[in-house]
Amino acid sequence: MAHLFVAVSILCLLASSSNAQLSKDFYDQTCPNFQTIVRNEMEQAIYGEPRLAASILRLFFHDCFVNGCDASILLDDTGTFIGEKNAAPNQNSARGFEVIDAIKTKVEAACSGTVSCADILAIAARDGVVLVGGPKWEVAVGRRDARTASQSAANNELPSPFSDMTTLISMFAAKGLNAPDVVALSGAHTIGQAQCRFFRDRIYNETNIDPNFATFRMSNCPSSGGDTNLSPLETTTANFFDNNYFTDLMANRGLLHSDQVLYDGGSQEDLVRFYSINNDAFFTDFAAAMVKMGNISPLTGTSGEIRRNCRVVN
Ligand code: HEM
Ligand SMILES: *[C@@H]1O[C@H](CO)[C@@H](O)[C@H](O)[C@H]1NC(C)=O
């Protein structure tokens, strides 16, 4: 009897530490074409606008860091509901929601009321990365959608582009991610764009920056005005997923303050250098860190719901 109890306890511990309720084959019987549908829609979207791979990847990050990967970021504000879209890190910045809507419409047509918005976002983010040349990883599914959102958690638990290294490490640690994960996941900035308002202070005021790079970025980011003007987060191939982000950091060409702190005499410099010369290692570690991020406290079992429309609670 004592043995049985010990065995059961150990099994439970294993289960809770590895998200046993998420599995690769969760929809195999109930919506076998789900992954193909997501993939095709992402292909179309990215063909129309390559940046959408980046935008969807960022949505997934902003979903997972706020009360777990539960599609809370997708909920619209209403007269009686305050969501996360107008939290500081998301307002006039988070984008790509229409792509998730289009995917959801197709998935609902194929298997109505079955696949969560949280899983759609997880698979779409992965497919976006693959479609622009990045690594592929298996995404365990079975997440359910939140009936709630938290604007204050979105304001407080997402890192800011003005964060220093200590803050980044502690904000990621709060989500079960370690310092090397901060470096690998920041490599997401190998794709996509940022607005002038997020890097103005860096290009005008910071000293650990390549002066030619700073001058070049100033040409599209005046010292006042032009707040929403875009520049690529990575200098050479911002529509292509590769390790050039790390080469940029080593040349003091990180665009955001929070990028350059990874290579500014801190504890993770060696890892930045390593990724800059070893694309395979970056890909492997990025994929592993994405799996970790995707497993941040999902709703499973009978918690939450399967939203019919990703923008509103059923
Ligand atoms: C380490 C802390 C991070 C900070 C402070 C940060 C901050 C930012 C900021 C300020 C932007 C520009 C947004 C805009 O101008 O509207 C951005 C863009 C982006 N971020 Fe991050 N980020 C971080 C980590 C991550 C992670 C972990 C991922 C994904 C794994 C990610 C993916 C992206 C992508 C792909 C874009 C481009 C989005 C687009 O072009 O639409 N970021 N990030
Ligand atoms: C540069 O730093 C100064 C002093 O902190 C600040 O007043 C100014 O607004 C900064 N300039 C830009 C362009 O951010």
Side-chain angles (χ1 to χ4, degrees):
M1 196 59 187
H3 283 97
L4 181 63
F5 176 75
V6 170
V8 168
S9 310
I10 289 173
L11 278 175
C12 290
L13 276 173
L14 286 174
S16 63
S17 65
S18 63
N19 286 303
Q21 292 132 311
L22 298 184
S23 71
K24 319 277 188 218
D25 53 7
F26 191 83
Y27 298 113
D28 279 8
Q29 306 303 319
T30 54
C31 198
N33 291 332
F34 154 54
Q35 300 233 4
T36 312
I37 296 170
V38 177
R39 168 73 183 219
N40 289 342
E41 290 297 309
M42 283 302 289
E43 227 168 87
Q44 264 195 39
I46 291 167
Y47 180 75
E49 189 196 347
R51 184 187 172 196
L52 284 167
S55 305
I56 300 291
L57 176 58
R58 183 164 186 246
L59 279 189
F60 185 51
F61 163 49
H62 283 204
D63 183 29
C64 291
F65 262 56
V66 181
N67 295 333
C69 314
D70 61 358
S72 54
I73 192 175
L74 303 179
L75 292 169
D76 281 343
D77 284 16
T78 70
T80 54
F81 182 89
I82 299 177
E84 295 164 14
K85 289 184 178 178
N86 289 311
N90 294 330
Q91 191 173 43
N92 299 317
S93 177
R95 65 194 295 281
F97 298 106
E98 297 76 12
V99 179
I100 302 301
D101 292 338
I103 298 173
K104 178 64 169 173
T105 301
K106 287 266 164 71
V107 171
E108 283 297 296
C111 1
S112 120
T114 305
V115 179
S116 68
C117 299
D119 281 338
I120 287 175
L121 185 53
I123 299 287
R126 190 274 315 272
D127 286 354
V129 169
V130 173
L131 285 162
V132 296
K136 179 159 188 163
W137 61 93
E138 271 206 89
V139 178
V141 287
R143 296 170 190 77
R144 290 169 64 86
D145 300 324
R147 292 199 183 91
T148 58
S150 175
Q151 189 178 74
S152 61
N155 277 321
N156 297 323
E157 296 175 31
L158 285 165
S160 127
F162 314 110
S163 298
D164 59 24
M165 189 65 177
T166 321
T167 305
L168 294 182
I169 290 175
S170 71
M171 293 187 97
F172 277 63
K175 305 297 167 187
L177 299 166
N178 58 30
D181 292 329
V182 176
V183 180
L185 289 170
S186 293
H189 291 175
T190 177
I191 54 173
Q193 309 273 325
Q195 300 173 51
C196 171
R197 63 190 169 110
F198 294 126
F199 60 84
R200 177 183 286 125
D201 193 43
R202 167 151 173 76
I203 61 174
Y204 285 93
N205 270 342
E206 294 189 353
T207 50
N208 59 346
I209 189 165
D210 168 0
N212 293 320
F213 170 71
T215 305
F216 186 47
R217 287 290 172 257
M218 286 173 193
S219 66
N220 193 38
C221 181
S223 55
S224 75
D227 278 12
T228 60
N229 293 2
L230 294 173
S231 283
L233 281 156
E234 183 248 75
T235 57
T236 45
T237 52
N239 283 328
F240 192 72
F241 200 100
D242 56 26
N243 62 344
N244 287 342
Y245 169 80
F246 298 102
T247 322
D248 279 346
L249 296 187
M250 292 184 59
N252 282 339
R253 290 178 197 147
L255 186 62
L256 306 177
H257 175 83
S258 59
D259 291 320
Q260 198 59 55
V261 295
L262 304 179
Y263 194 83
D264 189 30
S267 64
Q268 301 304 308
E269 268 203 359
D270 286 349
L271 192 53
V272 170
R273 194 175 299 114
F274 180 54
Y275 288 156
S276 79
I277 56 172
N278 193 332
N279 193 64
D280 287 350
F282 167 51
F283 274 25
T284 303
D285 292 356
F286 180 79
M290 285 298 293
V291 170
K292 264 169 101 172
M293 191 177 87
N295 287 339
I296 299 175
S297 36
L299 296 170
T300 55
T302 54
S303 308
E305 62 182 24
I306 303 297
R307 244 176 255 155
R308 279 187 290 271
N309 171 345
C310 294
R311 293 175 181 268
V312 290
V313 172
N314 286 346

